[in-house]
Amino acid sequence: KHTMKRIVFLLMAILLQVGVAWAQTDGHLPVSILSASHAMMRLQTDKHYLLIPVEEKESDSKIRIIKDGVCLETLNVRVATGKADYFVPIDLTRYGKGSVLVEMTFNGSYRTVGNIEDYSCWKLMKLSDTFDTANREQWRPTYHHTPVWGWMNDPNGMFYKDGVWHIYYQHNLYGSIWGNISWGHSTSTDLIHWKNEPEAIYPDALGLVFSGSAVVDEGNTAGFGKDAVVAMYTSADASQTQSLAYSTDNGKTFKKYEYNPVVTSNVPDFRDPNMFWNDSTKEWNLVIAAGQKMNFYSSKNLKDWHFESSFGEGYGCHKGVWECPDMMQMANGKWVLICNINPGGPYGGSATQYFVGHWDGHQFTCESKPETTKWLDYGKDHYATVTFSGAPNGRHVALAWMSNWQYAAVVPTKQFRSANSIPRDLDLFSDGGEDYVSVKPSPEVLSAFRCKAAGLDDACLIEVSRLRPNATIELSNGKGERVVMRYNAQEQSFSFDRMKAGESDFSDVFPCVTMAPTHGRVNKVLIFIDKSSIEVFDADGKFALTNLVFPSTPYNHLSVKGGKAKISKM
């Protein structure tokens, strides 16, 4: 046995040397082909990036980064065997000075893909000190937050501190589909212009880094330091558990808590922890999605959590898994529990429901009847809504993931996938004896649109006032693509028709008509248009509709029947 092991070891060493010689004479990276599905590269880390070509139609290949016999990272990447759709960077500087062994295992069959030595990736891969992030997407938004590259879903860990808004988000650095999930990070001082920051929290042995929240620990209750930023996220592997990380540099870098995980459960879908301070009880509370319920906990120090109660059985919509909770106390003292659900939305797929009630630090009590379901947005593309912790002046500023799990992975972009909604301020209003959450564009967004526009633009704000009972608003282009919005005062409804809005062949369920209840008379609507989205708000906050659109050319014609329109740009 020992002799056999030595022979195998010597053969691998010889293969590696042969690979180095082959690559050096051919002008490519030092690749050693070990089998029909297995290859290795020994790389020096004196360059910043290893650029990997990605081909989306391929299946995942497993890439392991090994140093001194230890696997530092395992990635799943759709490595190109034919034509590359785009490139993704592996940051070699994260692995320290010296060299690393890059091991690649392919899942495709050579009978359908070809021989491994003929894969295009060997010619296309390269070491570089730069990574080109120039925008090559016609539908990348102008004023919505997007990742510079890669896949993005839920916003998480959002907080406000010292005049800066921080967004963290579910991010795949290595492709434009879901996978390899870490926390991306962006910052803004005005909620419109976002600066891309280094990745904040990477996966570890406990699993991928799913959604969570972050708070500023002003009283140093956790012992990580006064004003430390404390994040809790879901570690997702064989089970879903909750882990802590903390930052002493205002959220730029995080150190993981040595006693993770801090909250566990035997519930399969146990994720997305949301922490908040309860001023009445002078302690921290936590809500975690647990299947089709929300579990509540309390803590004095953000580390040790005591289970308090559950809410949800028999209340609201239960057609899918409950996810991404948020809890907030409104100005009138009532509490709002946000509960995102997938599937089960009013028009299919994912959506955001909520409950209004009371929270005593131990139990949430909903004030509506159990069968009542309230939706925060009646569009097709509004999910994973959460608010910024510590927003100034007691505001509740929310962001949503602007997509739908029914087609998020196949929308027609490749360099990046997904954007966030514009920030919205939440409050309460009453109608028919019920309290509802009002949704208005945040003041920072409204103030950004100050210039009068001569005509319709692919990034603008349309204000339609003096709405008549049967008003119609239509956006169209020369290709015959159009979006039609209709206000029906008698039925108290506002509809959004994107059946012929543009490209839609990527999904049978993308063409649709969505409709929101107006809760009374509508006098004015605000329509925010960006290159691939339209968000419609009642000016009084009584409804919102968020929908993606992919027109082949920008809409350049506006028709309003039954109202007066004004167009503004940034």
Side-chain angles (χ1 to χ4, degrees):
K1 289 183 179 179
H2 293 297
T3 304
M4 194 57 146
K5 286 182 179 179
R6 289 185 63 189
I7 292 172
V8 170
F9 178 80
L10 289 171
L11 284 172
M12 289 184 68
I14 293 169
L15 283 169
L16 282 170
Q17 292 302 317
V18 170
V20 170
W22 167 78
Q24 288 172 344
T25 57
D26 201 41
H28 302 137
L29 294 180
V31 178
S32 295
I33 307 298
L34 303 177
S35 75
S37 61
H38 191 200
M40 291 182 177
M41 295 182 292
R42 171 69 63 180
L43 301 178
Q44 296 297 316
T45 58
D46 53 349
K47 291 288 187 180
H48 197 138
Y49 301 112
L50 171 63
L51 302 183
I52 302 289
V54 175
E55 187 174 7
E56 289 209 339
K57 72 178 182 63
E58 283 299 338
S59 57
D60 279 336
S61 299
K62 184 170 75 172
I63 299 178
R64 295 202 306 161
I65 309 298
I66 300 169
K67 186 172 184 178
D68 298 331
V70 177
C71 179
L72 304 180
E73 192 163 20
T74 300
L75 309 172
N76 293 304
V77 184
R78 297 191 172 191
V79 178
T81 61
K83 181 182 178 182
D85 293 315
Y86 52 86
F87 285 80
V88 295
I90 294 179
D91 185 352
L92 297 177
T93 63
R94 293 182 53 227
Y95 310 125
K97 295 182 179 180
S99 69
V100 292
L101 187 66
V102 180
E103 180 193 55
M104 304 176 71
T105 304
F106 295 85
N107 290 321
S109 168
Y110 74 91
R111 293 180 179 86
T112 56
V113 179
N115 294 317
I116 186 172
E117 61 266 23
D118 297 325
Y119 291 174
S120 63
C121 57
W122 311 130
K123 295 181 180 179
L124 296 173
M125 278 190 299
K126 60 183 177 180
L127 294 168
S128 175
D129 282 324
T130 60
F131 174 57
D132 180 14
T133 59
N135 179 39
R136 288 178 290 277
E137 300 279 358
Q138 71 177 98
W139 288 302
R140 184 186 284 274
T142 298
Y143 59 89
H144 288 75
H145 172 258
T146 63
V148 176
W149 77 90
W151 164 274
M152 178 181 77
N153 56 293
D154 310 356
N156 36 234
M158 303 191 307
F159 72 93
Y160 174 87
K161 186 176 186 291
D162 300 331
V164 179
W165 303 86
H166 293 256
I167 293 177
Y168 301 89
Y169 52 90
Q170 298 284 274
H171 192 206
N172 182 6
L173 284 162
Y174 308 109
S176 295
I177 58 170
W178 187 93
N180 308 301
I181 296 297
S182 55
W183 272 24
H185 183 203
S186 297
T187 56
S188 176
T189 56
D190 61 5
L191 289 174
I192 288 289
H193 302 92
W194 294 96
K195 177 185 177 184
N196 183 53
E197 303 284 358
E199 212 74 358
I201 304 177
Y202 286 92
D204 58 23
L206 291 176
L208 300 178
V209 186
F210 278 14
S211 293
S213 58
V215 295
V216 178
D217 188 10
E218 297 177 356
N220 191 24
T221 62
F224 299 136
K226 187 181 185 308
D227 294 329
V229 178
V230 182
M232 185 185 292
Y233 58 91
T234 298
S235 294
D237 195 21
S239 296
Q240 296 181 353
T241 59
Q242 317 313 315
S243 295
L244 283 183
Y246 62 94
S247 171
T248 56
D249 58 5
N250 290 327
K252 293 180 181 179
T253 60
F254 283 85
K255 182 177 180 180
K256 293 177 181 176
Y257 181 47
E258 61 181 325
Y259 296 110
N260 284 336
V262 294
V263 185
T264 61
S265 172
N266 60 1
V267 177
D269 295 302
F270 182 66
R271 55 180 174 261
D272 312 334
N274 189 280
M275 301 177 290
F276 57 98
W277 176 254
N278 189 333
D279 201 47
S280 62
T281 60
K282 303 300 180 185
E283 63 182 359
W284 296 99
N285 287 143
L286 169 69
V287 54
I288 303 177
Q292 291 194 339
K293 297 188 296 183
M294 294 298 178
N295 285 356
F296 291 94
Y297 302 79
S298 61
S299 175
K300 297 292 186 182
N301 61 8
L302 291 169
K303 300 173 181 176
D304 304 304
W305 293 92
H306 172 72
F307 175 77
E308 295 285 352
S309 61
S310 293
F311 168 80
E313 187 171 350
Y315 280 83
C317 180
H318 284 269
K319 294 181 179 179
V321 176
W322 285 18
E323 296 183 311
C324 303
D326 199 354
M327 272 281 279
M328 66 205 76
Q329 187 172 28
M330 311 308 281
N332 65 358
K334 292 185 179 181
W335 287 78
V336 171
L337 170 60
I338 288 178
C339 170
N340 293 274
I341 183 172
N342 177 52
Y347 297 100
S350 40
T352 305
Q353 66 177 326
Y354 66 90
F355 305 90
V356 181
H358 305 276
W359 169 250
D360 62 4
H362 306 284
Q363 180 78 45
F364 176 78
T365 305
C366 181
E367 66 179 18
S368 300
K369 294 180 179 179
E371 63 269 22
T372 302
T373 301
K374 299 176 180 179
W375 300 104
L376 197 63
D377 189 294
Y378 282 84
K380 185 87 169 171
D381 300 299
H382 181 276
Y383 189 60
T385 311
V386 288
T387 60
F388 286 89
S389 175
N393 304 315
R395 293 167 59 191
H396 302 291
V397 183
L399 276 184
W401 177 48
M402 202 160 54
S403 196
N404 192 305
W405 280 113
Q406 289 183 326
Y407 44 72
V410 293
V411 295
T413 63
K414 288 188 175 178
Q415 182 185 18
F416 80 103
R417 277 208 174 94
S418 300
N420 289 127
S421 68
I422 61 170
R424 303 134 186 251
D425 274 41
L426 308 182
D427 208 335
L428 289 177
F429 72 95
S430 296
D431 179 42
E434 284 278 350
D435 286 326
Y436 297 89
V437 173
S438 67
V439 183
K440 294 182 180 180
S442 294
E444 293 88 343
V445 179
L446 289 169
S447 65
F449 291 88
R450 297 176 178 175
C451 303
K452 183 177 180 180
L456 192 61
D457 199 343
D458 61 2
C460 65
L461 165 61
I462 304 173
E463 300 175 68
V464 183
S465 57
R466 303 179 188 176
L467 278 179
R468 294 176 187 169
N470 293 295
T472 300
I473 305 164
E474 182 175 303
L475 311 171
S476 60
N477 60 22
K479 301 288 187 179
E481 299 164 346
R482 64 181 181 271
V483 169
V484 182
M485 291 164 269
R486 294 184 175 89
Y487 169 49
N488 188 321
Q490 183 176 358
E491 296 182 1
Q492 295 192 35
S493 66
F494 192 98
S495 65
F496 186 112
D497 182 343
R498 71 173 185 194
M499 294 295 293
K500 298 181 179 179
E503 283 204 27
S504 62
D505 57 358
F506 53 87
S507 171
D508 292 339
V509 298
F510 188 85
C512 65
V513 179
T514 60
M515 183 181 298
T518 63
H519 297 286
R521 184 80 169 85
V522 178
N523 298 305
K524 180 180 178 180
V525 292
L526 308 174
I527 305 171
F528 289 85
I529 300 174
D530 211 337
K531 292 180 184 293
S532 55
S533 65
I534 299 176
E535 294 162 275
V536 186
F537 299 85
D538 169 48
D540 294 326
K542 293 184 293 184
F543 73 82
L545 284 157
T546 300
N547 286 302
L548 295 178
V549 290
F550 296 98
S552 56
T553 61
Y555 305 123
N556 57 6
H557 183 259
L558 169 65
S559 172
V560 177
K561 297 178 182 179
K564 183 178 180 180
K566 181 182 79 171
I567 304 175
S568 304
K569 61 182 181 180
M570 297 177 68

